[in-house]
Amino acid sequence: RTCRSLFPTPIVCVGRTLCYCLGEGNMANAGEMTQLLECLGAADGDRRRNGEKMYEEALKSQPDGVLTGLLMALKSSDQVPHRELAAVLLRRQVLNADGKDSLWHRLQESTRASVCSGLLELLKFEQNAKVCRNSVRRKIADCIQSLGNEIITLLSDQRPSNCEAWPQLMPTLLGIVCDTSQAAGLRADCIWAMKELAVSVWQVLVANIDQTVQVVRGCLSDSNFSVKAEAVSLMCSLADNIEKRSERKPLHPLIPEMMNSIVALAKSEDPKPLDNVLQNMQCSTEVADFLKDSIGSHFLPVIAEIAKGHGDEDCKKSALEVLLTYMDSKPKFVFTKVPEYIPKVIEICIDFITTLDEDVDAWASRDDDDDADDEVEVLHKLGRDGIDRICRCASQPQVDCFGAVQEVLKQAMAAMFASGGWKQVIGGMDIMFMMVEFVDDEAMVDQMLQGILPQLSASHPRVRGCAWSLIAQFATDHEEIVANETWSARILPHYLTGMDDSCPRVVVRCMVSFQYLGECLEREDLEPLVQPLMEKVGAKIQAGPYQSKAIPFIAVIARQVEDSFTPYYSTLMPLMKEVVRATLHNVEDRQLLGRCFECISLMGKAVGRQAFKADGEHILDAMVKASQVPNLPANDPVQEYTMSAAERICMTLKEDFLPFVPRLLPGILAKFNASPKDLSSLEDGEIGKDLEIGMLQEGGEQKYVLMRSSELQDLQGALECVQTFVEQLEGSFSPFVQQTAMALLPVFDFPLGEDIREMAHRLWGALCQCAGKANKGDVVGALVMEFLQRVLPKIEDEKAKAEPFIAKTGIDGITTCLKKAGPNILSVDQAKHLCQTVLKLTMESLKRRAAEASERASLKAAKREGVVPDDDDDLDDDWDNEEQSLRVALQEVAGAVMEHHPQIFVAQAMGDFVQLVQQLAQSGSSEDKKLALFYICDFVDNLGSEGSQHYQQFVPALLEEVHNQDPEIRQPACYGVSRAAKQPAFAPLAAQAAERVARVVTETRGRGKKKKTSEKLAQACADNALSAVINILLHQDIGDAAAKAQLWNVWLSGLPCQVDEEEAAYNHGVLLKLICEEKAEVVGENGSNVPRWLALLVDHYQGELTSDETDTGIGQLVVRLGQARLEQMASSFSDKQKKKLMRIFREASK
């Protein structure tokens, strides 16, 4: 009765059609098909290939006969493998049935009708077949759903009572499902087919929603577990595919019954139905929204209990994944509206994390470089990953709940460490491992490190190994804390013990950990332990289990201690060259060979050009030979190591490297030809894990393309390598500019990732600069014109406007080329066209933003009215980021034109940009205000006297925003004031500006240190304000002596700069200059302040916050002061500062 009311079209008798197709008159064809299936399934390769050839030929010549024969084989064969193969082949032929050139469209109408009818009859027939097998029945159901999804096409706004394309389909399936006299397995397979068909037929089920609910409810209450399980999965599929929330609402009353069914499935002896259900419940946004109102009352208690207490591991894993995918789909709702959700999921993850293998010897025997642990301890890995996903989700800007999650995890860690059990301690460290990336409080980091340090000498080897890995993670996420003088002094001595650990795997982890920590240590902190460390690692460099880790260990020491490595060079270099000789032609040792090249290049960089020259030439020759070894794998690791090593050797040898460029460059440029393959052109065996996927527009159609990750990395490495050659060799590289440019052009259209195109554009800019340094102005002009001709049309194309991040790549490339090319490259018309393009694209971007804002306002209104969910997860506040980034990129193009063609800009474009800035400043948008400030900064920075007439119009706007609460606006305001302060036209505003920027410095520097991004931005504002303070002091007269003295105190107290590297280099350079000039306000009476400033300069020597010029000046100052005076000044220095000061003295005295 339900079936008839749901589908008014009567169920036709398909038996006669099937009998006609498969009657006695066609038995010969059935026999031929059986023979063909035997060939296709044969173990003998020749026979199977012959069968495949016959099959393909038959498909081309008589497709109707082939499909009819497959149906006959499914009906009549007494061999299960033949019937299974027939079902598989039949499904393959109905796939893509909606394509115009598909085999389905080549069939006669009667054959298509026979296939549709025959498949439905076979589904029922299978229950009584001579050789019944559930797998055959499921394959027939798979054929039905595949064909249905291909030939049924309903628009989202249609609500038909049945599927016109296959009117027998739904009545037949529903008839079987509702007939409880049918076998449960058959009914379950029919429900499964309906679940798979939901994507195509949900409109029909919505049109008859009352009957749909009745059918699903009956199946949920069925006594058979398979029927019950498929009914739950069908509900999830309906929730996923029904587009409107209002049309999903009638299914809501079934949720308690759905969850009760899951509880019943959890009690079944067979866990497979439950696991299948849980896999189908892994949430899309629609399913998550459907379950939202029942999360706390029904969903969480049931799924959490399965994840925590079910006896089957697969079910536990799937249940945890359900909980995590729901969190991912509705993060804001889960974290803010269901307070018990995250603590419960964390509790489950902790249970998983402590599920560790008791066999310590087995753990010790496994290699850290493979995934063996994850394969043995699956739950442990899933628990770790779960904590990571929770932390990552909580840290999203729209969620911002990591603080609460941290407190829960902190308590859990404390309890686990306090328990003393080795599994619990490892679990506590694993939680730490996953959350440390997101911790931004220095005190919390210190507390966590305090907990790790004792575990480095724990009695259990797994605890020690985990502790070493955690040290490496802290070095990655909190370099500035772990590498400070205090913590490095506490951690480093443990390495001497760790390298003698009784467990080889712990030794390996200790050595790997050093690679991460060592790279962030200052040489003065590392040097006291270099000798004992080198003694221990030297014993491990010979062939053995530690060799592959000893070589990068040595490389780190060489990198960090630089010329202090010299005493070890002459002993180690022959050993390294011997390893290269022994592994050069062994394909299985390519990873080791690559690490040798890396280590040797770092050793050479440490000892310098003169000591390394001969060995460098030898190694470069070996690198060329290594690239010529035959039968290398596609993902040969040596290629990446070779290019990185070549970069360092180039930096070390400088012009002595030039003779090797012709030998190395062709092989590197050849990697620029790497291109992804069309997905449709790949064989099954070519598709694996090591692939990157992207989408390409070609001829108005979209297609998917794939590329091996190793090939992509090689392309990136090649671009970086050539970039280094160009920058280091400067004008000497000019003979290779044309060759490089020609090779680079195809990369401009690389379809996988904007980062590759960005690198290509940067390299093109470097080529422009190289040609300029070689005084080849015609080449520079040709390069710039070539770039503009290729890139500008793509930026102006309508498709690029729809994808701002793609257009931005080209726009950034234009900025790079213009800045690197220098002055007098653009004609008046070219510069004018660029400026007009910037204005046009900016205005179009603002219009798109307005349209998007209008749509979002409508969506918010719909949320208020309850038409769509109002949990706000889909209203991301950062929706305009891509467009804003595009507008900023356009502003930088205008800035590049101002920088090198100021007169043309003022004459041709200034008026238009003044209007744009005024419009942006008055829009009321903080992003527009920031963009307006960027333009003003460019006016001030690049136009000089040409733009001074506009000072009174724009500079007051800078002063007004210096105290803006938003640091992203405050920073450009402070920057603009610092640049304007150098101009005479700034004089009327100097006193007011001095007061305002001084306040920024004093208020910001008084705050404690935090890792939060907002705090870093605030300190960057203060760095810019410091530049403004010193420029006012040096270039303006603010009159009052007391005010000047106070301003000097602000500047000196605000040093050193903390975040902004450009402003730090400037301020620290000015400080050095004023010390050398013995400026009284700086050096103090009788030079009393010099030791303080000398300590500051010593601390930052050769760091990120000083320029090369300042580093040279520091060395000259130290030499001029003399050793005796230095010893006197350094009396209050720390031991580390004293060592560094003496090193500076030695280096500068050479």
Side-chain angles (χ1 to χ4, degrees):
R1 285 195 300 273
T2 299
C3 195
R4 282 198 294 273
S5 63
L6 179 54
F7 297 101
T9 303
I11 303 176
V12 299
C13 178
V14 297
R16 288 193 299 273
T17 305
L18 187 64
C19 290
Y20 176 78
C21 293
L22 306 181
E24 294 182 4
N26 286 323
M27 285 304 292
N29 291 338
E32 290 175 7
M33 180 54 70
T34 300
Q35 291 177 10
L36 182 56
L37 291 171
E38 288 179 357
C39 292
L40 290 171
D44 179 70
D46 291 337
R47 188 181 179 201
R48 186 174 62 253
R49 282 187 289 272
N50 186 48
E52 290 169 354
K53 183 179 179 182
M54 291 170 58
Y55 179 71
E56 293 299 326
E57 290 174 353
L59 281 175
K60 293 177 182 177
S61 61
Q62 44 181 320
D64 296 84
V66 171
L67 264 68
T68 301
L70 290 172
L71 283 170
M72 287 190 290
L74 271 169
K75 170 73 174 180
S76 59
S77 176
D78 58 0
Q79 297 291 319
V80 170
H82 293 171
R83 301 179 70 229
E84 288 181 337
L85 180 55
V88 170
L89 293 174
L90 192 57
R91 179 183 181 275
R92 188 176 297 171
Q93 300 316 317
V94 301
L95 287 176
N96 301 317
D98 61 339
K100 292 181 180 179
D101 299 325
S102 68
L103 180 139
W104 183 257
H105 278 273
R106 289 162 45 207
L107 297 176
Q108 297 177 20
E109 183 64 33
S110 60
T111 304
R112 290 200 291 267
S114 296
V115 171
C116 290
S117 300
L119 282 171
L120 293 174
E121 185 66 18
L122 280 167
L123 188 61
K124 293 192 295 183
F125 162 81
E126 180 59 25
Q127 198 62 30
N128 301 307
K130 296 177 184 176
V131 183
C132 178
R133 183 66 66 88
N134 290 345
S135 60
V136 178
R137 187 182 61 225
R138 176 54 68 91
K139 285 180 169 60
I140 295 171
D142 197 10
C143 288
I144 291 170
Q145 68 85 15
S146 296
L147 179 58
N149 279 320
E150 292 293 336
I151 66 175
I152 297 171
T153 302
L154 297 174
L155 301 178
S156 61
D157 59 351
Q158 289 180 292
R159 296 296 180 270
S161 59
N162 199 2
C163 306
E164 183 179 347
W166 194 352
Q168 305 138 309
L169 174 63
M170 295 304 291
T172 301
L173 293 178
L174 265 294
I176 295 172
V177 170
C178 296
D179 185 356
T180 55
S181 68
Q182 295 282 357
L186 174 61
R187 294 171 61 221
D189 282 344
C190 288
I191 302 171
W192 175 85
M194 289 173 59
K195 183 231 354 176
E196 296 296 313
L197 283 162
V199 66
S200 299
V201 304
W202 63 267
Q203 298 93 327
V204 176
L205 295 169
V206 167
N208 302 276
I209 193 63
D210 292 339
Q211 293 87 346
T212 300
V213 169
Q214 184 178 346
V215 171
V216 175
R217 174 172 281 127
C219 294
L220 288 172
S221 62
D222 199 278
S223 59
N224 182 268
F225 287 127
S226 295
V227 172
K228 197 184 292 287
E230 294 299 349
V232 175
S233 297
L234 174 59
M235 267 194 71
C236 292
S237 185
L238 290 173
D240 190 26
N241 286 287
I242 296 174
E243 294 178 356
K244 293 182 180 178
R245 190 186 191 197
S246 58
E247 291 183 328
R248 295 195 295 264
K249 193 171 183 179
L251 294 170
H252 284 184
L254 296 178
I255 292 176
E257 297 171 52
M258 170 183 169
M259 301 314 298
N260 288 336
S261 295
I262 295 174
V263 172
L265 290 169
K267 297 176 182 177
S268 168
E269 293 182 2
D270 182 5
K272 289 182 180 178
L274 174 63
D275 191 40
N276 289 335
V277 164
L278 293 170
Q279 290 185 41
N280 284 304
M281 287 184 70
Q282 292 170 12
C283 294
S284 66
T285 302
E286 290 75 15
V287 174
D289 177 63
F290 173 69
L291 295 170
K292 187 178 74 171
D293 293 338
S294 304
I295 278 298
S297 59
H298 295 88
F299 175 85
L300 180 60
V302 171
I303 305 301
E305 181 58 33
I306 294 171
K308 192 169 177 62
H310 200 275
D312 181 74
E313 185 174 293
D314 288 337
C315 291
K316 289 167 67 77
K317 293 187 299 185
S318 297
L320 176 59
E321 185 61 24
V322 170
L323 294 168
L324 291 170
T325 53
Y326 190 93
M327 174 195 72
D328 292 336
S329 297
K330 292 287 178 185
K332 191 171 182 179
F333 173 77
V334 164
F335 279 92
T336 59
K337 302 294 176 63
V338 192
E340 70 273 25
Y341 194 100
I342 295 302
K344 176 61 72 173
V345 179
I346 288 174
E347 180 186 338
I348 295 165
C349 289
I350 290 173
D351 282 348
F352 278 38
I353 283 176
T354 53
T355 307
L356 294 165
D357 186 7
E358 294 280 356
D359 191 340
V360 178
D361 292 336
W363 173 86
S365 67
R366 292 194 288 267
D367 193 339
D368 254 3
D369 290 338
D370 57 33
D371 298 326
D373 281 350
D374 293 342
E375 294 173 5
V376 174
E377 299 171 338
V378 178
L379 292 182
H380 174 74
K381 179 182 185 302
L382 291 177
R384 282 166 49 100
D385 291 347
I387 296 294
D388 177 67
R389 287 167 67 176
I390 291 169
C391 294
R392 200 167 297 281
C393 193
S395 300
Q396 293 176 16
Q398 68 268 32
V399 178
D400 194 25
C401 291
F402 179 72
V405 171
Q406 179 176 296
E407 285 306 309
V408 176
L409 294 175
K410 186 177 177 182
Q411 293 174 21
M413 286 189 297
M416 295 172 86
F417 276 107
S419 74
W422 69 270
K423 291 183 180 182
Q424 285 69 35
V425 172
I426 287 177
M429 287 194 287
D430 277 331
I431 292 173
M432 204 180 289
F433 195 102
M434 293 298 130
M435 67 180 286
V436 64
E437 173 186 353
F438 309 98
V439 176
D440 59 14
D441 180 65
E442 187 171 339
M444 179 67 177
V445 176
D446 282 337
Q447 188 177 350
M448 293 165 83
L449 284 169
Q450 292 279 9
I452 299 170
L453 221 55
Q455 310 309 328
L456 294 172
S457 54
S459 59
H460 200 287
R462 289 200 65 168
V463 174
R464 298 195 301 273
C466 185
W468 282 119
S469 296
L470 194 48
I471 291 291
Q473 191 63 41
F474 270 84
T476 301
D477 295 325
H478 294 279
E479 172 184 334
E480 71 285 357
I481 297 175
V482 179
N484 67 31
E485 190 173 0
T486 301
W487 275 111
S488 61
R490 294 184 64 183
I491 295 171
L492 277 172
H494 286 275
Y495 282 96
L496 299 175
T497 306
M499 291 180 71
D500 289 333
D501 199 284
S502 58
C503 176
R505 191 170 180 186
V506 175
V507 175
V508 167
R509 287 200 177 182
C510 170
M511 296 172 74
V512 171
S513 169
F514 180 80
Q515 295 172 36
Y516 289 89
L517 179 64
E519 287 181 349
C520 55
L521 294 175
E522 291 192 38
R523 62 181 288 180
E524 279 71 28
D525 293 324
L526 182 56
E527 279 177 335
L529 285 173
V530 167
Q531 183 175 348
L533 286 171
M534 288 299 296
E535 288 174 357
K536 290 188 179 295
V537 77
K540 302 179 188 298
I541 196 175
Q542 305 296 332
Y546 304 120
Q547 186 181 50
S548 63
K549 300 297 182 291
I551 289 172
F553 191 105
I554 292 168
V556 169
I557 293 178
R559 185 204 305 268
Q560 298 308 113
V561 303
E562 298 176 322
D563 58 350
S564 292
F565 189 81
T566 303
Y568 311 100
Y569 180 84
S570 59
T571 302
L572 282 174
M573 182 55 77
L575 295 175
M576 298 299 298
K577 288 162 73 173
E578 175 57 27
V579 176
V580 169
R581 185 200 64 76
T583 58
L584 189 60
H585 298 287
N586 295 337
V587 176
E588 63 272 15
D589 291 328
R590 300 293 285 181
Q591 188 78 31
L592 182 60
L593 176 62
R595 287 175 175 172
C596 281
F597 286 151
E598 175 186 53
C599 184
I600 288 171
S601 68
L602 287 164
M603 289 168 61
K605 195 169 183 289
V607 300
R609 176 178 175 180
Q610 197 61 39
F612 180 61
K613 182 179 178 182
D615 291 324
E617 293 174 353
H618 176 87
I619 293 305
L620 285 169
D621 186 64
M623 287 163 56
V624 172
K625 291 178 180 176
S627 66
Q628 298 168 347
V629 173
N631 303 319
L632 292 176
N635 58 345
D636 177 27
V638 170
Q639 298 181 41
E640 182 179 356
Y641 282 112
T642 294
M643 289 186 288
S644 298
E647 289 182 61
R648 296 188 199 93
I649 295 174
C650 178
M651 294 178 195
T652 303
L653 297 184
K654 302 293 185 185
E655 61 267 22
D656 289 335
F657 182 82
L658 199 59
F660 287 91
V661 173
R663 297 179 63 189
L664 291 169
L665 191 60
I668 298 172
L669 295 182
K671 298 187 183 301
F672 290 3
N673 294 321
S675 60
K677 296 180 179 179
D678 189 339
L679 176 60
S680 61
S681 68
L682 296 179
E683 300 290 337
D684 289 344
E686 294 184 86
I687 300 176
K689 294 181 180 180
D690 182 33
L691 287 174
E692 299 287 336
I693 188 167
M695 196 165 60
L696 181 65
Q697 289 281 135
E698 195 172 89
E701 295 184 356
Q702 292 181 338
K703 68 176 184 180
Y704 288 98
V705 291
L706 296 168
M707 189 174 188
R708 293 187 183 279
S709 300
S710 55
E711 291 179 314
L712 191 61
Q713 290 167 1
D714 282 346
L715 175 56
Q716 291 173 321
L719 289 165
E720 291 173 355
C721 186
V722 178
Q723 180 90 22
T724 300
F725 290 175
V726 176
E727 292 174 350
Q728 293 296 317
L729 298 175
E730 298 183 318
S732 301
F733 189 84
S734 62
F736 310 102
V737 165
Q738 185 174 2
Q739 175 188 3
T740 303
M742 290 296 294
L744 188 58
L745 286 174
V747 188
F748 286 3
D749 298 318
F750 188 77
L752 285 182
E754 293 305 302
D755 52 341
I756 293 291
R757 289 193 287 275
E758 288 173 3
M759 295 173 72
H761 294 169
R762 283 199 300 271
L763 178 52
W764 195 273
L767 294 174
C768 293
Q769 187 175 47
C770 170
K773 289 188 176 181
N775 298 316
K776 296 183 178 180
D778 56 334
V779 176
V780 178
L783 288 170
V784 173
M785 291 308 106
E786 179 73 26
F787 190 88
L788 292 177
Q789 289 167 10
R790 285 180 175 271
V791 175
L792 262 181
K794 295 177 183 177
I795 293 171
E796 296 170 321
D797 186 83
E798 290 300 321
K799 293 177 183 176
K801 296 173 186 175
E803 297 179 303
F805 69 97
I806 294 178
K808 178 182 179 298
T809 302
I811 293 165
D812 287 340
I814 292 174
T815 301
T816 298
C817 286
L818 293 180
K819 286 181 174 291
K820 296 293 185 180
N824 305 319
I825 294 298
L826 298 177
S827 67
V828 172
D829 288 342
Q830 289 165 343
K832 183 177 179 180
H833 176 67
L834 271 179
C835 290
Q836 289 173 340
T837 301
V838 167
L839 289 165
K840 176 173 174 285
L841 295 179
T842 299
M843 295 308 297
E844 288 174 350
S845 175
L846 291 171
K847 288 178 181 177
R848 289 194 296 271
R849 181 184 68 183
E852 175 70 16
S854 176
E855 288 184 19
R856 291 169 66 81
S858 299
L859 178 59
K860 286 183 178 180
K863 286 175 177 290
R864 287 193 297 270
E865 295 167 6
V867 178
V868 293
D870 64 352
D871 53 32
D872 287 339
D873 279 339
D874 54 349
L875 286 179
D876 185 358
D877 293 335
D878 297 330
W879 60 275
D880 188 39
N881 276 356
E882 287 185 1
E883 288 285 2
Q884 175 65 7
S885 296
L886 174 67
R887 295 190 289 270
V888 171
L890 289 165
Q891 167 263 321
E892 290 174 351
V893 172
V897 176
M898 294 182 217
E899 179 180 355
H900 291 306
H901 305 82
Q903 294 178 334
I904 296 176
F905 182 87
V906 171
Q908 301 294 327
M910 187 69 183
D912 292 334
F913 278 92
V914 167
Q915 290 181 14
L916 173 63
V917 170
Q918 290 172 338
Q919 177 183 334
L920 292 170
Q922 296 168 8
S923 77
S925 162
S926 61
E927 292 295 341
D928 286 356
K929 183 179 289 187
K930 182 167 66 173
L931 185 59
L933 292 175
F934 288 165
Y935 274 111
I936 294 172
C937 289
D938 274 331
F939 294 162
V940 171
D941 214 9
N942 296 315
L943 299 181
S945 59
E946 300 285 344
S948 60
Q949 58 183 308
H950 298 283
Y951 262 45
Q952 296 307 316
Q953 184 175 2
F954 289 126
V955 174
L958 293 174
L959 292 179
E960 184 179 342
E961 302 303 339
V962 160
H963 290 164
N964 194 296
Q965 292 300 306
D966 184 350
E968 293 194 357
I969 293 176
R970 193 161 69 248
Q971 182 174 5
C974 292
Y975 174 88
V977 172
S978 74
R979 296 312 188 260
K982 294 181 179 181
Q983 303 295 332
F986 186 76
L989 302 169
Q992 178 190 2
E995 184 276 327
R996 293 182 72 82
V997 293
R999 180 179 155 193
V1000 172
V1001 174
T1002 53
E1003 289 183 357
T1004 307
R1005 290 296 196 246
R1007 304 210 295 244
K1009 290 185 179 180
K1010 295 180 181 178
K1011 195 184 177 184
K1012 286 186 177 178
T1013 301
S1014 59
E1015 185 59 29
K1016 286 188 174 183
L1017 281 172
Q1019 295 301 336
C1021 295
D1023 292 343
N1024 282 267
L1026 269 185
S1027 297
V1029 169
I1030 191 59
N1031 284 338
I1032 291 171
L1033 286 167
L1034 296 179
H1035 300 284
Q1036 303 295 332
D1037 183 5
I1038 57 175
D1040 188 281
K1044 281 185 180 179
Q1046 184 178 0
L1047 200 58
W1048 275 108
N1049 184 58
V1050 168
W1051 183 68
L1052 293 170
S1053 300
L1055 292 172
C1057 288
Q1058 296 182 15
V1059 178
D1060 192 314
E1061 294 179 10
E1062 182 180 346
E1063 301 310 312
Y1066 176 73
N1067 280 275
H1068 298 159
V1070 170
L1071 175 64
L1072 174 66
K1073 179 175 179 291
L1074 296 177
I1075 292 172
C1076 293
E1077 293 173 353
E1078 299 186 1
K1079 183 75 172 177
E1081 290 86 348
V1082 176
V1083 300
E1085 187 176 354
N1086 299 320
S1088 58
N1089 292 336
V1090 173
R1092 172 188 171 188
W1093 305 129
L1094 182 61
L1096 184 153
L1097 294 173
V1098 166
D1099 284 340
H1100 293 286
Y1101 176 75
Q1102 290 184 343
E1104 295 177 346
L1105 303 183
T1106 57
S1107 64
D1108 291 343
E1109 181 181 357
T1110 298
D1111 289 334
T1112 301
I1114 292 171
Q1116 293 170 347
L1117 171 64
V1118 166
V1119 171
R1120 188 164 68 249
L1121 288 172
Q1123 194 161 354
R1125 193 175 176 191
L1126 286 176
E1127 290 177 359
Q1128 181 183 2
M1129 288 184 175
S1131 60
S1132 61
F1133 284 18
S1134 67
D1135 289 342
K1136 177 180 175 180
Q1137 288 174 321
K1138 290 177 182 177
K1139 290 175 185 177
K1140 193 170 182 179
L1141 178 62
M1142 290 301 102
R1143 172 167 65 84
I1144 296 170
F1145 182 83
R1146 290 195 309 271
E1147 291 174 351
S1149 299
K1150 292 180 181 178

